[in-house]
Amino acid sequence: MSSTSSLHQRPLHKPYNLLFQKSSTDDPSKPYYFSLLLNRTTFLLLLTLLIILGVFSPWIGDRSTFFSPSRVSLEAKWRGYTLSEAVAYVAKNGSTVIVCAVSQPYLPFLNNWLISIARKKHHEKVLVIAEDYATLYTVNGRWPGHAVLIPPAPDAQVAHKFGSQGFFNFTSRRPRHLLQILEFGYNVMYNDVDMVWLADPFPYLKGNHDVYFMDDMSAVKPLDHPNVLPPPGKKGRTYICSCMIYMHPTAGAKLVMKKWIEELQIQPWSKAKKANDQPAFNWALNKTAGQVDLYLLPQAAFPTGGLYFKNQTWVDETKGKHVIIHNNYILGFEKKIKRFKDYNLWLVDDHASESPLGKLG
């Protein structure tokens, strides 16, 4: 062998496939099948590694997507998305915006409400005012442009408990949002998301009144009751529901919103009162009644939950007249869902595909 070839030899490192082969100088007592055993072990290790990679590669992919620049940039985009941009987007084919305000615990109710609106072909008008970033990203991730968050975001952990300060802070933001939309020059409908549309409400929003609303009293009215603000109750004010409001962008409607904001400041939440925004809305209506054109919607079409779910005789007598049903006069997510299910109004289990959000969770 030449000296050049000797320089390139690495005698201490046999090729891997020869490393454990039996040579003529090996001890004859060593098991000859050692190399076969190693090859089998190596094969099993490689096979196990391939299985592990196959199982976990989708998770690895999800993680890289989660932290990808495109996702981060999208979240930044929605954080910077303004109310004026959002309203202009959803009202691009008309002059009306349908608004709701939602925190993450209410997403199932949002989806249920959206299905009922989609059936009436009005869902493209919907703007979800997200009260936390999780809701903002969920809605816009599935239905881009239909959610906006107006900072600061309330505490999502307490905003859903009726009677709490968090719930008050959550709902008391509502008139400011609605006033802004009116200032942009749009008609605006507000709905709570524990409602279901059974028919198209817009034919009932006739005329050019400033503010349209529904009564929250469960006492039965005549079918031809007057469409005026009812007389005050025992507390010196009316019992109009702030769950369903429709307004034209008039000076009168803006005055009611400003008065509502003012009344909320006069009557803040306290442990003794545990107020919500509805009494302040009623005081605003009562104090501006002489200056504003107000319109009470027909009870048969827009009943309170205390009537629809608790007076079957009335429901039977007014069958075919119901337009929007409100699941109030009951507290708790589970109880509201059960009641909706009992009346075949819980749509998300079997009809999620009809929602622009699809199936959540």
Side-chain angles (χ1 to χ4, degrees), residues 137-156:
Y137 301 146
T138 298
V139 175
N140 280 345
R142 293 169 172 263
W143 198 24
H146 282 269
V148 65
L149 187 145
I150 304 165
D155 184 350

Side-chain angles (χ1 to χ4, degrees), residues 15-307:
Y16 184 76
N17 62 338
L18 300 176
L19 187 58
F20 293 102
Q21 284 187 1
K22 184 178 179 182
S23 71
S24 60
T25 58
D26 283 339
D27 185 347
S29 64
K30 289 183 180 179
Y32 187 73
Y33 59 82
F34 187 73
S35 62
L36 184 63
L37 179 63
L38 178 69
N39 289 340
R40 184 180 299 169
T41 304
T42 304
F43 173 76
L44 290 173
L45 285 173
L46 287 172
L47 181 61
T48 303
L49 181 60
L50 287 171
I51 292 171
I52 291 172
L53 287 173
V55 170
F56 288 99
S57 60
W59 294 94
I60 296 169
D62 284 348
R63 183 173 294 181
S64 63
T65 302
F66 186 85
F67 292 106
S68 68
S70 60
R71 182 185 177 103
V72 172
S73 63
L74 272 177
E75 291 187 354
K77 172 188 174 181
W78 297 129
R79 279 176 175 268
Y81 193 44
T82 65
L83 181 60
S84 61
E85 291 172 331
V87 169
Y89 177 74
V90 301
K92 56 184 176 292
N93 296 320
S95 58
T96 300
V97 182
I98 302 170
V99 175
C100 65
V102 182
S103 59
Q104 190 177 28
Y106 281 93
L107 283 174
F109 288 93
L110 169 65
N111 223 15
N112 198 65
W113 175 73
L114 280 174
I115 293 167
S116 70
I117 296 178
R119 290 178 172 182
K120 309 309 169 190
K121 311 299 183 187
H122 287 295
H123 56 289
E124 290 301 333
K125 301 183 182 77
V126 170
L127 176 61
V128 177
I129 296 181
E131 297 293 355
D132 52 58
Y133 286 103
T135 301
L136 177 70
Y137 301 146
T138 298
V139 175
N140 280 345
R142 293 169 172 263
W143 198 24
H146 282 269
V148 65
L149 187 145
I150 304 165
D155 184 350
Q157 298 301 314
V158 297
H160 65 278
K161 187 177 179 182
F162 184 83
S164 68
Q165 186 171 6
F167 185 83
F168 176 80
N169 294 341
F170 167 66
T171 57
S172 64
R173 291 158 52 91
R174 187 186 324 179
R176 295 183 185 277
H177 304 333
L178 298 179
L179 178 58
Q180 279 187 280
I181 296 170
L182 292 173
E183 295 286 5
F184 295 147
Y186 295 93
N187 304 320
V188 59
M189 176 191 285
Y190 173 83
N191 275 190
D192 281 353
V193 292
D194 59 345
M195 305 184 98
V196 170
W197 289 23
L198 300 183
D200 187 342
F202 285 95
Y204 295 82
L205 306 173
K206 55 191 177 183
N208 294 306
H209 307 287
D210 295 319
V211 185
Y212 303 68
F213 44 79
M214 56 183 276
D215 203 341
D216 207 19
M217 296 295 288
S218 58
V220 175
K221 300 178 186 291
L223 289 177
D224 60 348
H225 69 78
N227 302 108
V228 297
L229 190 69
K234 294 179 180 179
K235 296 184 178 180
R237 55 172 170 77
T238 50
Y239 292 90
I240 300 302
C241 192
S242 59
C243 58
M244 160 49 188
I245 308 167
Y246 179 75
M247 295 176 285
H248 293 296
T250 60
K254 295 172 189 176
L255 177 62
V256 172
M257 293 299 101
K258 289 174 184 176
K259 192 65 178 174
W260 189 2
I261 294 167
E262 182 183 314
E263 290 296 323
L264 284 167
Q265 293 169 343
I266 293 171
Q267 303 176 49
W269 185 91
S270 67
K271 288 185 178 180
K273 284 188 175 182
K274 295 186 177 180
N276 58 72
D277 68 332
Q278 188 160 298
F281 177 59
N282 278 269
W283 284 118
L285 292 173
N286 295 170
K287 292 180 180 181
T288 60
Q291 310 166 62
V292 180
D293 185 355
L294 304 175
Y295 187 87
L296 177 65
L297 292 163
Q299 184 187 53
F302 301 87
T304 182
L307 179 57

Side-chain angles (χ1 to χ4, degrees), residues 308-310 312 338-346:
Y308 184 84
F309 294 109
K310 297 188 177 184
Q312 189 59 45
K338 182 181 184 304
R339 181 199 260 177
F340 266 155
K341 287 182 176 180
D342 290 344
Y343 284 79
N344 296 316
L345 296 174
W346 188 246

